[in-house]
Amino acid sequence: MSIAAEIAPQLPYLRRFSRALSGSQASGDAYVVETLEALVADPACFPRALPPRIALYQVFLRLWSSLALNMEPAKQVEGISPEQRLERLAPRSRQAFLLTTMEGFSSEEAATIMRVDEKEVITLVAEATEEVARQIATEILIIEDEPIIALDLQSIVEELGHRVVGIARTHAQALAQVAEHSPGLILADIQLADGSSGLKAVNEILASVELPVIFITAYPERLLTGQQPEPTFLITKPFRPEIVKATISQALFFNKRASLRPA
């Protein structure tokens, strides 16, 4: 089987991972493009002895460590080199954390991808978990039409130390809740109770206010087609609490609006 055929099913998920690492759709996708171009230029860099998904992520992280595509000039911090900024954006602990939570790799698989010892991955994940526990706290709006799922998300959010300011089931409720509470982050389902689109509601919200949004859907491939504006942060239903926590953590990692947690 060709490399293209082997990796094609994994590309939507690699794009999700890349965006979570970089905090940007544009830079995340740029890394994936570079990965594909590297494979076209040198097919031998694809480790055929590994399962295709593990091999693809390994090639990606190898490039991630050597490129600076997400160093957008307008966002460069004076006195900080691209290498230092890259380390601040996605230290290795977060790479290990996202590989084992968001992407569902075992610690052994993550070690293969990162080309380190499994014990190091376990240590890195523990470091990232401690960081999440100390992380910035904010107010969160949940846009979800299924009450059980909404309550489940609320429980996960509150375990992280955040506060849920409201649960919206429809397009109108979502806009009203944002206007009333000015949340620091939104968790949004794609299909709402009134038959409207959660994506449309979020687009209207983002037209007037800037804040991070995490989309939740049973069909992530529909939002990762590469043919339209797409979310930076995406959770697949059914979800595990660890994935929700990891994604919230990474979204807030890039969010300057969230306030520091009180001591």
Side-chain angles (χ1 to χ4, degrees), residues 8 11 31 46 65 106 129 138 145 147 160 162 186 207-208 232 239 255:
L11 290 179
Y31 271 102
F46 187 76
S65 301
S106 67
T129 301
T138 192
D145 66 331
L160 285 174
H162 306 299
I186 292 176
S208 58
T232 299
F239 52 78
N255 177 33

Side-chain angles (χ1 to χ4, degrees), residues 104-230:
F105 288 108
S106 67
S107 57
E108 181 180 5
E109 292 170 333
T112 299
I113 291 169
M114 298 180 69
R115 296 179 294 166
V116 299
D117 185 86
E118 184 178 0
K119 290 182 179 179
E120 182 174 347
V121 167
I122 293 173
T123 299
L124 289 170
V125 171
E127 290 175 358
T129 301
E130 290 178 5
E131 180 187 354
V132 170
R134 301 190 302 268
Q135 199 178 28
I136 48 182
T138 192
E139 296 181 329
I140 296 178
L141 171 65
I142 297 173
I143 303 176
E144 169 62 61
D145 66 331
E146 293 288 343
I148 298 300
I149 295 177
L151 290 175
D152 193 14
L153 288 170
Q154 180 174 0
S155 176
I156 294 169
V157 164
E158 291 175 346
E159 282 181 17
L160 285 174
H162 306 299
R163 186 169 77 91
V164 174
V165 295
I167 297 176
R169 300 184 66 246
T170 66
H171 178 279
Q173 289 176 2
L175 270 60
Q177 292 273 14
V178 169
E180 180 179 356
H181 298 293
S182 298
L185 182 144
I186 292 176
L187 298 177
D189 191 5
I190 301 302
Q191 188 66 38
L192 303 183
D194 57 357
S196 65
S197 165
L199 185 60
K200 181 179 178 180
V202 166
N203 283 338
E204 289 188 30
I205 292 169
L206 294 181
S208 58
V209 63
E210 184 177 351
L211 75 166
V213 178
I214 299 172
F215 284 97
I216 303 174
T217 176
Y219 307 99
E221 63 278 3
R222 294 181 182 177
L223 294 180
L224 295 172
T225 62
Q227 300 175 352
Q228 59 184 353
E230 300 168 342

Side-chain angles (χ1 to χ4, degrees), residues 246-263:
T247 310
I248 290 175
S249 168
Q250 198 68 0
L252 292 179
F253 184 65
F254 294 99
N255 177 33
K256 295 181 180 179
R257 293 184 66 246
S259 60
L260 291 175
R261 177 179 296 172

Side-chain angles (χ1 to χ4, degrees), residues 20-166:
L21 275 180
S22 66
S24 161
Q25 176 186 341
S27 61
D29 287 352
Y31 271 102
V32 174
V33 169
E34 284 292 332
T35 300
L36 297 179
E37 290 180 349
L39 289 173
V40 170
D42 181 16
C45 72
F46 187 76
R48 286 282 193 172
L50 298 175
R53 185 165 185 250
I54 293 176
L56 177 62
Y57 277 70
Q58 186 186 90
V59 173
F60 170 83
L61 277 187
R62 192 185 309 145
L63 285 167
W64 173 271
S65 301
S66 63
L67 298 176
L69 296 178
N70 56 355
M71 305 306 141
E72 300 175 28
K75 296 183 179 180
Q76 293 241 4
V77 179
E78 186 176 353
I80 297 179
S81 69
E83 292 76 14
Q84 290 173 317
R85 179 171 169 79
L86 181 59
E87 178 62 21
R88 288 173 58 177
L89 286 178
R92 291 176 67 78
S93 60
R94 283 185 172 271
Q95 295 177 26
F97 186 59
L98 293 176
L99 284 171
T100 56
T101 51
M102 177 181 290
E103 299 306 310
F105 288 108
S106 67
S107 57
E108 181 180 5
E109 292 170 333
T112 299
I113 291 169
M114 298 180 69
R115 296 179 294 166
V116 299
D117 185 86
E118 184 178 0
K119 290 182 179 179
E120 182 174 347
V121 167
I122 293 173
T123 299
L124 289 170
V125 171
E127 290 175 358
T129 301
E130 290 178 5
E131 180 187 354
V132 170
R134 301 190 302 268
Q135 199 178 28
I136 48 182
T138 192
E139 296 181 329
I140 296 178
L141 171 65
I142 297 173
I143 303 176
E144 169 62 61
D145 66 331
E146 293 288 343
I148 298 300
I149 295 177
L151 290 175
D152 193 14
L153 288 170
Q154 180 174 0
S155 176
I156 294 169
V157 164
E158 291 175 346
E159 282 181 17
L160 285 174
H162 306 299
R163 186 169 77 91
V164 174
V165 295

